[in-house]
Amino acid sequence: MDAARFLSCPEHSTRRQFLKTLSQGIGSAALAASAAPYVGRAALPDDETLGVALVGLGNYATGQLAPALQETTKCELTGIVTGTPSKAETWKKKYDIPEENVYNYETYDRIADNDNIDIIYVVLPNGMHAEYTIRAAEAGKHVLCEKPMATSVQECKDMIAACETAGVKLSVGYRLHFEPHHQRVMTLGQDEVFGPVTVMQNGFGFRIPDSATDEPHIEWRLNKEMAGGGALMDVGIYAIQGARYVTGEEPVAVTAQEYKTRPEVFSDVDETLFFQLEFPGGTVVDGSTTYNGSYNRLYATARDGWFEISPAYGYGGVEGRTHDGPMDFKSNVNQQARQMDAFAECIRHDRSPRVGGKEGLRDLEVIEAIYESIDAGNTRVEIG
Ligand code: NDP
């Protein structure tokens, strides 16, 4: 059936079938000719939600994303992908998920046939992001992928290309783009409200205790193949993000240093890193990350003042201030719910996501340059 007829045929113009048609690019020429972006809205009543399947039911999916999906209004949890049968049983009961929407890593590709799942949210160890994003795209599903987007620049490029080829949208789980304090510092920095930002100090770290190294969610983080790197890939990436969205620029060079106090634990990945990013407008960023202590802060000094967020990168409890006084936002927004609803709205209205694949790619370019600087004996490495 051509796309125009499909859309006008009442028994076929359900929300899910419409999205599937759109995402798979079926009859894209006919769609382009016959359907403005708002056909999506017409076919999708405002009170209907998009279906989300979480892939990998670990700490973040269990503790943050599934609860957030109880607060979303534009999308809902309709499916799961897990390699652990006992988790499947628990989740089916807890979230009322029907058996036909439960997959494991072998049956994953069959999601292509499931009209109740529109968005696949990849919450797997970093080394699995690329494969499961590309397979989701090939199944004709829109993809939200956790940070870091992947473990290399090349993987990010492959993911973007796969999603473009499939005609599906791709976003990265940078939840802070949906948090008011972070949105404020984007404006303060990019609009030069206190003049140009000259120097920033951004850092995020937490301590991995020696006693926790065999816990499943820590074990893969210490394995280079699964994690791609250590603290930098996991939490240092927030410091890079912060620098990029405060300046609104891409760094042109980096110089980095690595320290290991527990080489027996961090034999495969980095424990503590410092990095200095140079931006084209003149901002210099003093960045750091560690698996050996807890801190998280974003600080910027500008020509005529300063601003900071501290604590900066948590799910809640975010606090910000400028030289004029505190930022007066409530810090208890559900960042994850906001991000998922925003992504659902982009799909519904055929808009580009606020945090697209290129955001993830740019951070991996910086991360690779940081590792290159360290490997080359802390030399200055140009980026891009
Ligand atoms: P966990 O280890 O807690 O969960 C990962 C899950 O992936 C496992 O529970 C398992 O689920 C599945 N999995 C499949 N294969 C493997 C494997 N070989 N080894 C380990 N797990 C496997 O990790 P997190 O939830 O902490 O992190 C997952 C992702 O989310 C990471 O990319 C991380 O960077 C990101 N993250 C993002 C946060 C944010 O604030 N945006 C916060 C925390 C994490 P199952 O048993 O269902 O198969």
Side-chain angles (χ1 to χ4, degrees):
M1 184 183 293
D2 74 49
R5 270 185 58 216
F6 180 93
L7 291 171
S8 63
C9 177
E11 69 270 28
H12 287 116
S13 51
T14 65
R15 173 179 65 89
R16 311 234 182 252
Q17 283 160 324
F18 173 80
L19 283 166
K20 193 171 177 188
T21 307
L22 255 192
S23 68
Q24 291 178 340
I26 297 168
S28 54
L31 266 177
S34 66
Y38 269 60
V39 170
R41 190 185 179 88
L44 294 175
D46 272 346
D47 58 352
E48 284 205 36
T49 52
L50 303 196
V52 178
L54 295 176
V55 188
L57 308 181
N59 278 356
Y60 193 52
T62 305
Q64 304 302 325
L65 298 179
L69 281 160
Q70 310 312 302
E71 292 188 28
T72 48
T73 56
K74 309 295 181 189
C75 57
E76 63 180 310
L77 179 63
T78 53
I80 49 174
V81 182
T82 177
T84 310
S86 59
K87 290 185 190 172
E89 289 313 308
T90 306
W91 281 61
K92 274 194 316 191
K93 286 194 198 95
K94 184 165 184 184
Y95 294 112
D96 199 20
I97 297 169
E99 178 61 36
E100 62 267 27
N101 292 0
V102 177
Y103 298 85
N104 60 38
Y105 303 114
E106 284 72 47
T107 60
Y108 179 63
D109 306 286
R110 290 190 212 146
I111 288 186
D113 302 322
N114 192 328
D115 290 342
N116 291 312
I117 295 170
D118 307 298
I119 299 168
I120 289 181
Y121 196 147
V122 178
V123 208
L124 293 162
N126 311 340
M128 301 171 75
H129 289 183
E131 177 189 343
Y132 283 84
T133 293
I134 291 168
R135 283 167 67 181
E138 287 169 354
K141 303 299 178 181
H142 304 281
V143 194
L144 236 168
C145 178
E146 256 317 314
K147 46 57 57 179
M149 179 172 164
T151 56
S152 71
V153 167
Q154 188 55 53
E155 281 184 343
C156 294
K157 288 181 177 168
D158 293 344
M159 293 156 81
I160 292 168
C163 290
E164 280 176 0
T165 301
V168 298
K169 297 198 188 294
L170 171 62
S171 186
V172 184
Y174 289 130
R175 55 187 164 74
L176 293 167
H177 284 254
F178 302 86
E179 201 284 329
H181 298 83
H182 286 265
Q183 291 174 335
R184 171 62 64 84
V185 300
M186 290 174 199
T187 304
L188 293 177
Q190 292 179 28
D191 292 356
E192 301 188 354
V193 173
F194 304 137
V197 172
T198 52
V199 175
M200 291 187 74
Q201 287 182 316
N202 294 350
F204 192 5
F206 71 95
R207 182 170 161 84
I208 293 184
D210 297 352
S211 58
T213 53
D214 57 357
E215 287 180 18
H217 71 286
I218 298 296
E219 208 173 2
W220 69 258
R221 284 180 158 85
L222 301 177
N223 176 314
K224 181 145 195 242
E225 201 182 333
M226 290 299 270
L232 181 63
M233 279 278 179
D234 198 15
V235 286
I237 196 167
Y238 286 89
I240 297 169
Q241 267 280 300
R244 291 182 49 242
Y245 57 64
V246 165
T247 58
E249 296 178 345
E250 301 304 332
V252 290
V254 67
T255 311
Q257 305 84 34
E258 175 174 20
Y259 297 88
K260 276 190 192 178
T261 59
R262 292 176 290 165
E264 68 289 357
V265 175
F266 300 98
S267 57
D268 215 17
V269 299
D270 47 282
E271 182 186 24
T272 301
L273 294 185
F274 296 91
F275 49 93
Q276 299 81 47
L277 297 168
E278 299 168 37
F279 284 80
T283 312
V284 182
V285 179
D286 174 20
S288 72
T289 185
T290 187
Y291 272 154
N292 197 22
S294 287
Y295 63 99
N296 73 91
R297 178 176 184 238
L298 179 154
Y299 174 84
T301 186
R303 191 191 56 208
D304 306 322
W306 57 266
F307 49 93
E308 74 170 343
I309 314 180
S310 176
Y313 304 115
Y315 307 139
V318 177
E319 288 178 22
R321 57 203 70 81
T322 76
H323 61 276
D324 267 343
M327 294 181 192
D328 52 2
F329 301 113
K330 289 184 186 149
S331 61
N332 60 350
V333 301
N334 189 317
Q335 302 163 14
Q336 292 86 356
R338 281 188 168 196
Q339 172 155 32
M340 290 188 277
D341 270 345
F343 188 51
E345 284 292 84
C346 288
I347 293 166
R348 192 188 276 260
H349 301 303
D350 194 15
R351 294 195 298 248
S352 296
R354 180 178 178 123
V355 189
K358 288 202 176 108
E359 270 299 310
L361 168 66
R362 298 269 180 263
D363 284 345
L364 259 296
E365 285 172 344
V366 178
I367 286 173
E368 287 194 352
I370 289 172
Y371 288 136
E372 190 185 330
S373 168
I374 289 164
D375 289 346
N378 317 118
T379 54
R380 180 177 182 275
V381 170
E382 293 190 0
I383 305 170

